[in-house]
Amino acid sequence: MFPFHLASVLPVFWYNMKKDKQPFSAELYGDLLRSQSITTASPGLILKDFQTMLDYLQEHEVTVSGVNQLLQLKFLPSLNQRLSHPTDVQLKRPVQKSYPYINGLYLLLRIVGIAQILPKGKSQVLSVDRALLDAWMALNPTEQYFTLLEAWLMLADEIVIGEQGGGALNQPLYKLALFWSDTETDVMQFPTYQEQNKIHFIPGLHNLALLDLFGLLSIKTGKTELGQGWRIQHIQKLPLGEALMRLAIQVFQDSLNTWESAIEEGSSPQAKFGMLQPYLQPFFPEWQTVWRLPGEEFQDGTYTFKISLGKPWRRIAIPAALTLDDLAMAILDSFEFDADHLYEFTYKSRIGLECHILHPDCDEPPFTSDVRVGDLSLASGQSMTFLFDFGDNWQFKVELEAIAPPAPNLSAPTLLERHGKAPQQYPDYDESW
């Protein structure tokens, strides 16, 4: 998980933060935080509804859409009725975004990694990772609450829920910082849907729903009109929201120098779980365990990939310690292509973030020469796209079929199977006239 592009974010972010007259202060907010108990019903209902989502996924085989991997329409009404605040929707064809509480909870499910997308035949299923579920259930309520808060404020990218825009526009903390600092009063009224439209993007309805579930603000709803969605009449900021929002912004500011220095040195800084713990543990000593995602650490083994270019395909085994450069060369060799152009690997991580790993001669890291195969956060059945030659745009599908134990005698990529004749890399165009 990478922080957003700082060059595009910082000017606006800093401008809005400088308008904020009350940065986080332990003296100002310490007593409030120390007196706050965390349970399944306090300060909000986030833990209760998050568990409801987990229960629903274990009871049903929940399929998702093909492109954005969102919940299909047939599951939304029944799931909505199970939540603490069912959303009244008067739309002919509602989608996941029409249910802000579901949309926000789905974002958290993906970012903490407990629910992952797995292929099943021609469909994709949102499935619970049993090992991570056990790890989740071993956390105490305080640890669960702040794991979810950290996932949302410090790590989430709204591309996971189909939001388009890129960079800062997909970061909940960026949107929430703008909303929090631009709102002069603690209470906002929305007499009409037209007035309500101003909060549909900044901070976004799913972010408002999560603010409510975390107990950071309160929302009063009204009657939904025909052809309309969630009706918000009244929003009130709560003291805990003031404290935790300002603290999250402070943590982000404290991280900027580290991230900027790393980027200048040509590396890719990573935002990870645990960023908030040093700041919050003095007030919440129950927060001992920091959440860990599979794929954050190197996974050793022998990786078997099926590489397809249309109908022709190849099967390659490669040790985890080799780089994506090594895999790229093996792919090109297996299709008898010359390695004389730039390339990149693109894939969705297990938590739904889009990852791009580029040829070493490209401008921005991470580079294929630095990323090992075992660093990939892929599960068996998931695929990458290998784009070769940015002019001719050869697109190879690279499917991870299996991860086996390390093979002592395997030190280089090995071609296991070959099917179909590879196309010509440079067709003789004169022959087509």
Side-chain angles (χ1 to χ4, degrees):
M1 287 172 280
F2 303 95
F4 25 93
H5 295 290
L6 300 180
S8 64
V9 175
L10 286 181
V12 177
F13 196 93
W14 276 116
Y15 171 74
N16 281 276
M17 292 309 97
K18 287 178 180 178
K19 294 194 304 181
D20 196 329
K21 304 301 182 183
Q22 292 183 321
F24 178 79
S25 164
E27 292 183 0
L28 184 61
Y29 296 111
D31 289 343
L32 169 67
L33 295 177
R34 276 187 286 267
S35 66
Q36 178 65 61
S37 62
I38 307 293
T39 70
T40 56
S42 175
L45 296 172
I46 184 65
L47 298 184
K48 178 178 180 295
D49 279 8
F50 190 77
Q51 186 61 49
T52 296
M53 291 281 284
L54 290 174
D55 292 342
Y56 189 87
L57 292 181
Q58 294 176 84
E59 295 167 10
H60 301 80
E61 183 175 276
V62 179
T63 51
V64 298
S65 60
V67 177
N68 291 321
Q69 300 177 330
L70 302 179
L71 301 179
Q72 293 186 337
L73 171 61
K74 60 184 177 181
F75 301 106
L76 297 173
S78 59
L79 178 55
N80 179 51
Q81 291 304 313
R82 290 195 182 195
L83 299 180
S84 301
H85 304 295
T87 305
D88 185 16
V89 174
Q90 299 293 328
L91 299 169
K92 288 185 178 180
R93 287 196 59 81
V95 294
Q96 180 175 304
K97 189 174 182 178
S98 309
Y99 299 89
Y101 288 94
I102 293 177
N103 208 27
L105 289 164
Y106 177 88
L107 176 64
L108 297 183
L109 277 169
R110 297 300 311 279
I111 297 299
V112 298
I114 298 178
Q116 60 178 326
I117 304 296
L118 295 176
K120 186 169 185 179
K122 295 183 178 181
S123 301
Q124 298 182 94
V125 176
L126 185 64
S127 178
V128 171
D129 184 312
R130 297 292 173 179
L132 277 187
L133 179 61
D134 290 342
W136 174 257
M137 299 305 295
L139 299 180
N140 63 51
T142 299
E143 291 166 339
Q144 290 181 341
Y145 179 90
F146 286 117
T147 294
L148 296 180
L149 186 75
E150 192 165 53
W152 175 40
L153 295 182
M154 309 308 296
L155 306 175
D157 187 320
E158 292 177 355
I159 194 171
V160 173
I161 52 174
E163 296 291 329
Q164 303 300 318
L169 298 180
N170 279 341
Q171 308 298 327
L173 180 58
Y174 179 70
K175 292 182 178 181
L176 289 164
L178 295 180
F179 168 71
W180 216 263
S181 60
D182 282 346
T183 305
E184 299 294 337
T185 63
D186 290 343
V187 177
M188 299 178 68
Q189 305 281 355
F190 306 100
T192 65
Y193 270 106
Q194 186 175 2
E195 285 291 316
Q196 181 184 318
N197 285 339
K198 68 179 68 172
I199 55 173
H200 279 208
F201 181 69
I202 301 292
L205 297 184
H206 61 283
N207 285 321
L208 285 171
L210 288 176
L211 285 168
D212 179 24
L213 286 177
F214 279 102
L216 307 186
L217 57 67
S218 64
I219 296 175
K220 179 181 178 182
T221 59
K223 184 177 180 180
T224 303
E225 298 176 10
L226 187 64
Q228 298 287 351
W230 193 28
R231 178 69 175 98
I232 298 176
Q233 288 185 327
H234 172 106
I235 291 174
Q236 182 172 3
K237 293 180 181 179
L238 298 177
L240 182 63
E242 287 284 343
L244 292 181
M245 284 302 306
R246 294 180 191 282
L247 183 137
I249 291 167
Q250 183 64 53
V251 173
F252 175 85
Q253 291 174 334
D254 290 347
S255 302
L256 287 179
N257 289 336
T258 301
W259 287 344
E260 286 182 296
S261 298
I263 289 173
E264 288 173 0
E265 294 172 2
S267 64
S268 297
Q270 289 189 338
K272 295 184 177 181
F273 284 99
M275 294 175 65
L276 293 179
Q277 190 193 37
Y279 296 80
L280 282 168
Q281 195 179 50
F283 310 109
F284 299 93
E286 299 89 353
W287 188 5
Q288 295 293 320
T289 302
V290 172
W291 188 247
R292 290 285 180 261
L293 274 175
E296 286 189 330
E297 298 179 355
F298 175 79
Q299 184 177 358
D300 200 6
T302 300
Y303 286 63
T304 300
F305 292 98
K306 180 181 179 181
I307 299 97
S308 306
L309 186 58
K311 291 184 178 180
W313 60 268
R314 310 289 185 257
R315 182 171 284 119
I316 293 174
I318 183 171
L322 296 186
T323 69
L324 291 188
D325 253 359
D326 297 314
L327 178 59
M329 293 301 101
I331 292 171
L332 296 174
D333 286 345
S334 72
F335 281 87
E336 300 174 355
F337 275 29
D338 294 328
D340 51 357
H341 295 282
L342 301 178
Y343 47 77
E344 73 169 335
F345 288 91
T346 304
Y347 69 97
K348 278 193 173 182
S349 69
R350 64 170 287 144
I351 63 173
L353 300 183
E354 193 168 88
C355 303
H356 298 266
I357 306 173
L358 298 165
H359 188 283
D361 290 340
C362 292
D363 294 332
E364 294 186 10
F367 299 121
T368 53
S369 55
D370 299 325
V371 178
R372 298 169 296 179
V373 172
D375 294 326
L376 297 172
S377 58
L378 289 177
S380 296
Q382 293 182 311
S383 299
M384 300 186 289
T385 296
F386 174 58
L387 175 61
F388 173 69
D389 187 346
F390 297 163
D392 286 342
N393 290 323
W394 292 100
Q395 293 194 41
F396 298 78
K397 179 182 177 182
V398 182
E399 180 184 354
L400 176 59
E401 291 190 321
I403 304 175
N409 298 326
L410 186 69
S411 59
T414 301
L415 180 62
L416 302 177
E417 237 177 308
R418 178 197 303 266
H419 281 259
K421 183 179 179 181
Q424 285 185 293
Q425 183 177 1
Y426 303 110
D428 187 350
Y429 291 105
D430 291 339
E431 293 181 0
S432 64
W433 290 89

